[in-house]
Amino acid sequence: APLSRRTAEPFFLEAVDPTLISHMSLAAGVGALGDLVAQRGELAGRANASASEMPLIPSGVDLARTGTFATFGALYSGAFQHFWFEQLMSDETASAILANTPKLFSLAVDGGNDATSSIAASLIVATGRMAVNQGLAIPFAYYPLFFVLTAIVRSEEPEAALLRARSFWAKAVL
């Protein structure tokens, strides 16, 4: 027999982090709202009108596109980044970055007074976190999700979407 809502609800509430739901909801709303503002401006430009003369949601808005922005926001900005930045900002990640810092840079951390060492370590960790994010999260999480969702919105055939992704990804990453 299927689970009733009353039976499943306590399990669901315990299994899902309410902060995650909040992050996903907020990111979806920001994505959708940003796209609606952009489309409103685009439609106003085509109509030779100012955006303030347009209705809040003018006719001609591509709701599938807006839904895609909301989905991307929820999945990447809301869900992925919820977990990713928790790990990226952890003490373990900072220790790993400092442990793998080339000797030339680690001299600034090891050889200075406490204030200088602290500033140098902070700069090295911040730079390392940025490099890890740009080198891992963007090419291997952001871009793939972007290409899948844009292919859906464009109704692209899988082969065409893969060709477009390969062409762009190689230029962007390399």
Side-chain angles (χ1 to χ4, degrees):
L3 289 174
S4 70
R5 181 175 178 187
R6 174 170 273 172
T7 305
E9 209 167 68
F11 170 76
F12 177 77
L13 292 176
E14 288 178 18
V16 177
D17 179 0
T19 306
L20 172 63
I21 298 300
S22 174
H23 288 170
M24 290 179 72
S25 300
L26 182 61
V30 168
L33 183 60
D35 182 60
L36 286 172
V37 168
Q39 287 194 61
R40 190 168 176 242
E42 291 167 11
L43 292 169
R46 282 189 228 133
N48 290 326
S50 71
S52 63
E53 297 170 331
M54 301 294 287
L56 185 61
I57 300 178
S59 63
V61 166
D62 183 349
L63 294 177
R65 179 180 129 173
T66 301
T68 302
F69 273 91
T71 301
F72 183 87
L75 294 177
Y76 183 78
S77 302
F80 174 76
Q81 288 185 348
H82 171 84
F83 296 106
W84 175 245
F85 283 111
E86 183 177 314
Q87 181 59 47
L88 192 62
M89 299 308 289
S90 72
D91 291 339
E92 293 84 7
T93 300
S95 295
I97 290 167
L98 289 172
N100 290 288
T101 298
K103 287 289 182 203
L104 176 65
F105 297 113
S106 62
L107 288 175
V109 176
D110 298 333
N113 63 37
D114 288 342
T116 304
S117 295
S118 177
I119 291 170
S122 294
L123 289 172
I124 289 169
V125 169
T127 303
R129 285 176 169 151
M130 186 232 11
V132 168
N133 188 57
Q134 295 299 106
L136 291 177
I138 301 301
F140 299 109
Y142 180 94
Y143 285 150
L145 182 59
F146 169 81
F147 285 115
V148 166
L149 291 176
T150 56
I152 291 168
V153 168
R154 294 176 177 188
S155 301
E156 284 181 318
E157 294 293 323
E159 296 82 20
L162 189 57
L163 183 63
R164 183 173 57 87
R166 281 183 181 158
S167 170
F168 179 86
W169 191 86
K171 289 178 199 170
V173 173
L174 304 174

